[in-house]
Amino acid sequence: MRNILAGMFLFVLLSGCNTPEKLLCRNWRLVDVEFNENEYQLTAEQKPQMIQQLRDSCLFVFNKNHTYSFKLPQRIETGVWEFSRKKDTIYTRMEHGGSTSKINVLSKIALDVDSYTGNAGKIHYVLAPLETK
């Protein structure tokens, strides 16, 4: 009986280490992004250049206090975030709007989301942590 209780305690302890919030709250670098270039008035030639610029400069930071920052090549956006009840979607709000990001993967090594912002359509982000915890 004691072994069963010890096993259950260990399972609860270990499973608590990787809650969605703990997995999300870190610094993320952009690995890949996919979007419709027409929605951003880019030519087919400009799109790969834009993606490389984003890979080189984007940084997503999600904090435990439910604030976030998103560093872009020309500016930094800040706001607040929250999970949906099922923890399968991240909602972000900033001064001039917000976005809804459906989580495809959230793990120690990847964050993969489909993000929808107002009338900008869908942007698919693949992120990797700057450090693993």
Side-chain angles (χ1 to χ4, degrees):
M1 181 68 158
R2 187 166 28 199
N3 287 342
I4 293 172
L5 290 175
M8 289 174 56
F9 176 77
L10 184 60
F11 173 76
V12 169
L13 183 65
L14 291 176
S15 63
C17 292
N18 289 325
T19 64
E21 187 166 307
K22 286 183 180 182
L23 290 170
L24 180 67
C25 291
R26 63 182 71 214
N27 299 333
W28 298 92
R29 65 180 175 82
L30 185 69
V31 174
D32 199 14
V33 60
E34 183 58 43
F35 56 88
N36 183 338
E37 65 271 4
N38 295 327
E39 293 178 18
Y40 295 92
Q41 294 145 3
L42 297 172
T43 65
E45 295 79 29
Q46 291 172 320
K47 184 177 178 180
Q49 295 169 348
M50 174 63 81
I51 290 173
Q52 188 58 51
Q53 184 181 22
L54 291 170
R55 282 185 187 139
D56 291 344
S57 62
C58 281
L59 178 67
F60 293 76
V61 179
F62 290 93
N63 301 302
K64 291 178 184 177
N65 67 358
H66 288 254
T67 61
Y68 78 94
S69 62
F70 177 34
K71 180 183 174 281
L72 294 160
Q74 305 295 322
R75 69 182 191 279
I76 297 176
E77 294 181 359
T78 60
V80 295
W81 69 270
E82 66 182 308
F83 279 119
S84 64
R85 179 175 282 152
K86 293 181 181 180
K87 310 252 189 280
D88 62 352
T89 304
I90 303 166
Y91 302 107
T92 58
R93 289 185 312 277
M94 62 189 117
E95 186 177 325
H96 301 291
S99 69
T100 300
S101 299
K102 174 73 173 120
I103 300 171
N104 301 315
V105 174
L106 174 57
S107 71
K108 288 177 101 173
I109 61 168
L111 174 57
D112 181 309
V113 297
D114 291 321
S115 186
Y116 304 88
T117 307
N119 59 0
K122 179 175 105 172
I123 302 174
H124 180 89
Y125 294 104
V126 178
L127 309 171
L130 287 179
E131 72 285 335
T132 55
K133 293 182 183 180

